[in-house]
């Protein structure tokens, strides 16, 4: 009987969850600043939060279908990169690394 070898996807899951968490914090911080009276753009912050939620979903879907999750990670990284400054860029890079790793690691 042949032994089937599977690849663990914990690396992608951890990077996706951590990057999404940072992105949600950054997007909600932008919404908080706008509610405090400063001028901000809430639509861009909402795009960032949607991208972070897509990153969370891709993190949990990576065990079922790696290619779909990798594309989801990359789309989430683009949305987060568009939507947040400073801390969100680091979260976007983490999500992008998770997506590239999911697509290219065998």
């Amino acid at each position: 009987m042949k032994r089937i070898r599977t690849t663990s996807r914990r690396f992608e899951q951890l990077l996706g969850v951590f990057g999404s968490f940072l992105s949600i914090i950054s997007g909600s911080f932008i919404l908080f600043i706008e509610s405090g009276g400063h001028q901000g753009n809430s639509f861009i912050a909402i795009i960032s939060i949607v991208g972070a939620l897509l990153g969370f979903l891709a993190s949990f879907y990576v065990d079922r279908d790696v290619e779909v999750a990798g594309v989801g990670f990359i789309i989430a990284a683009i949305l987060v990169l568009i939507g947040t400054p400073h801390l969100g860029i680091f979260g976007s890079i983490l999500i992008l690394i998770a997506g590239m790793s999911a697509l290219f690691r065998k």
Side-chain angles (χ1 to χ4, degrees):
M1 183 185 259
K2 278 191 166 181
R3 191 171 170 168
I4 298 174
R5 191 169 186 198
T6 59
T7 304
S8 175
R9 298 292 175 179
R10 293 279 183 208
F11 177 72
E12 289 90 350
Q13 287 176 342
L14 289 175
L15 281 181
V17 167
F18 189 64
S20 297
F21 179 72
L22 287 176
S23 301
I24 285 178
I25 289 174
S26 180
S28 61
F29 185 69
I30 292 171
L31 287 175
F32 177 72
I33 286 175
E34 181 178 300
S35 68
H38 294 88
Q39 195 66 353
N41 195 350
S42 63
F43 179 71
I44 291 179
I46 291 172
I47 286 176
S48 171
I49 292 173
V50 167
L53 292 176
L54 181 63
F56 271 129
L57 290 176
S59 297
F60 295 116
Y61 196 72
V62 75
D63 285 332
R64 294 186 189 149
D65 193 2
V66 180
E67 287 83 20
V68 173
V71 171
F73 278 131
I74 292 174
I75 292 171
I78 292 170
L79 289 175
V80 169
L81 187 63
I82 289 171
T84 59
H86 310 301
L87 184 63
I89 294 172
F90 183 63
S92 176
I93 289 172
L94 290 177
I95 295 172
L96 183 65
I97 291 171
M100 298 295 277
S101 178
L103 287 177
F104 296 123
R105 191 171 73 139
K106 297 291 176 189

